[in-house]
Amino acid sequence: MTVDPKKTGNQIAALRKALGITQNDLGDRLGVSYQAVSKWERGETLPDVGLLPDLAGILRTTVDSLLSGGEKVMNYRGKVTVADMREGINCLRRLGELLGKDNPIYRYAVSGINTGMNTDIEEAFADDRIFECFVAEALIQNLMNGCYVDITDVKNSFKTERFRNIACEYAAKYGIV
């Protein structure tokens, strides 16, 4: 993340004013002069790194929000691909082939998915459209859990326009454009 002192200063000023705190009061609480606060707010300097946690606390925000000028900062937990999601669903299908569909490990896995999602995952193994629906759902769940996906991968990997559009909508919702 690139820090823009002007945006950071504007954010500090806006939050301070919204809370009804004067520059002098803020400076006193942080052990700095009101002139230092004024310089931050004009974008001439940035607060010392050691002051950022206290400053964020006083202004009821986060350090990320201060330094980004209030813009949303996305911290992704990892990257996934549509191919990964497809392979994951395929692995479950293969589990039934390798262990046998009557094996308790397979049965409990399928039962848990069916109960938790109110569905029949085994239908997806025989129907390409349903399979692709599960791939989209797996991708969406990863997005909801903080993963990143390349939007071009999403646009190029789904055969069904509806699932492609839904996956793209969720990607946009989570800051991926």
Side-chain angles (χ1 to χ4, degrees), residues 130-144:
I130 298 172
F131 185 89
E132 192 157 82
C133 177
F134 274 94
V135 170
E137 181 63 28
L139 179 67
I140 290 166
Q141 291 300 320
N142 274 288
L143 292 172
M144 292 170 67

Side-chain angles (χ1 to χ4, degrees), residues 112-132:
I113 292 168
N114 290 346
T115 301
M117 296 180 69
N118 194 25
T119 190
D120 184 352
I121 184 87
E122 289 176 306
E123 286 183 10
F125 304 151
D127 184 316
D128 288 343
R129 183 172 162 78
I130 298 172
F131 185 89
E132 192 157 82

Side-chain angles (χ1 to χ4, degrees), residues 80-99:
V80 295
T81 66
V82 176
D84 292 339
M85 302 302 100
R86 199 174 303 280
E87 181 61 23
I89 303 297
N90 243 336
C91 283
L92 185 60
R93 179 187 58 79
R94 291 273 300 138
L95 188 63
E97 292 172 4
L98 295 170
L99 297 179

Side-chain angles (χ1 to χ4, degrees), residues 10 22 33 38 44 58 81 87 92 110 125 149 175:
N10 289 337
T22 67
S33 67
S38 178
E44 293 176 12
I58 293 166
T81 66
E87 181 61 23
L92 185 60
V110 166
F125 304 151
V149 65

